[in-house]
Amino acid sequence: MQNKYKDVMGLKIGEAQKLYREQVRSYQNQKILVSKKLQDMKKKMETAPDDREKFASEAATLELTLEALDEKQTQYQDYLSKLADQYCAHWNAAVAEQQGDAAKEYAADMAKLIEVARRIMKGGIVPAADEKKLMEFDNELYQTAKSIGAMARRQKREKYDSLWEEKEKKEYDDPQEVAENATAATQGPEIVEAADTMASVLDA
């Protein structure tokens, strides 16, 4: 019987994971069925001594079938482990990019908050939105800045524009999508249906 192979070249990681998980499940189900047949055959060998030779031959074939299924399933499981490593690498890279940008944005916001406090302390007029940001970040610092600013008593108070300009929110790729859609770095083993693997034992 000729084996039917599926093309596994250039698969995305998510596609490859789905494909090989299905194979592992299929092989596991077949192994369960073959194991049950093997146990039944061994019982027949004990209960029907006259047909022992016939049952022994069938049991040997079932054991070889079980070994073939197990060997192929192990190949698929090993490849799934490699895919998991690749998936994690792409996931971590996507998350690191987001965290790096978030850290830069946090540092920039901190600098702006300090500048808002400085302006208030000098008695300057800052936008209400900027005052609110400072108050939400550190109410004690905000109250101190307001108190010092009130004592400045400048006749002409400088008026400032907001430090937070309207900007488009940066869109990040979903780490899961990045990981799943990356191309698998290594080619997986041939996809062989469990039935074909079992038939190959009989054809041997």
Side-chain angles (χ1 to χ4, degrees):
M1 183 176 180
Q2 186 176 1
N3 287 340
K4 297 177 182 178
Y5 303 125
K6 294 181 183 176
D7 184 13
V8 293
M9 291 287 290
L11 283 178
K12 293 177 180 177
I13 291 175
E15 295 171 340
Q17 286 179 319
K18 181 180 178 183
L19 180 62
Y20 284 96
R21 283 180 190 136
E22 288 173 355
Q23 287 301 112
V24 168
R25 281 194 293 269
S26 174
Y27 273 70
Q28 185 61 31
N29 290 337
Q30 287 299 330
K31 282 169 60 180
I32 291 171
L33 294 174
V34 173
S35 293
K36 188 176 184 306
K37 287 181 182 178
L38 181 58
Q39 292 305 315
D40 291 343
M41 201 60 62
K42 288 181 178 179
K43 287 179 182 177
K44 288 180 181 179
M45 289 170 60
E46 295 173 359
T47 56
D50 294 341
D51 293 324
R52 184 180 180 85
E53 189 174 330
K54 172 190 170 186
F55 293 142
S57 176
E58 292 181 17
T61 300
L62 288 171
E63 285 179 347
L64 288 172
T65 301
L66 200 57
E67 288 176 7
L69 289 169
D70 189 61
E71 181 181 353
K72 202 68 182 171
Q73 183 185 5
T74 300
Q75 288 180 15
Y76 296 147
Q77 288 173 329
D78 289 345
Y79 185 59
L80 277 171
S81 294
K82 292 178 182 177
L83 288 173
D85 290 340
Q86 294 172 37
Y87 182 97
C88 288
H90 287 287
W91 173 289
N92 290 336
V95 170
E97 179 187 357
Q98 293 181 24
Q99 290 176 339
D101 287 345
K104 291 175 185 175
E105 187 174 340
Y106 177 78
D109 280 346
M110 285 294 295
K112 289 176 183 177
L113 289 165
I114 297 301
E115 176 60 18
V116 169
R118 187 189 68 79
R119 290 177 178 182
I120 293 173
M121 287 178 188
K122 288 174 63 179
I125 301 172
V126 300
D130 288 20
E131 282 201 26
K132 184 181 178 187
K133 286 180 184 290
L134 178 60
M135 183 172 60
E136 290 174 347
F137 170 72
D138 188 334
N139 188 54
E140 186 174 340
L141 175 59
Y142 169 73
Q143 295 298 340
T144 301
K146 290 291 283 186
S147 297
I148 295 173
M151 289 189 292
R153 297 186 181 206
R154 291 191 174 185
Q155 291 184 356
K156 185 178 179 182
R157 297 167 66 187
E158 191 170 354
K159 188 171 182 178
Y160 297 97
D161 292 327
S162 175
L163 290 171
W164 282 268
E165 298 176 2
E166 287 295 325
K167 60 180 179 179
E168 291 184 12
K169 188 175 181 181
K170 185 174 179 181
E171 294 293 330
Y172 291 100
D173 293 327
D174 180 358
Q176 182 176 350
E177 290 183 7
V178 171
E180 288 181 352
N181 291 318
T183 302
T186 54
Q187 182 181 348
E190 293 173 315
I191 295 296
V192 184
E193 298 300 329
D196 292 336
T197 298
M198 295 168 65
S200 68
V201 174
L202 298 174
D203 293 341

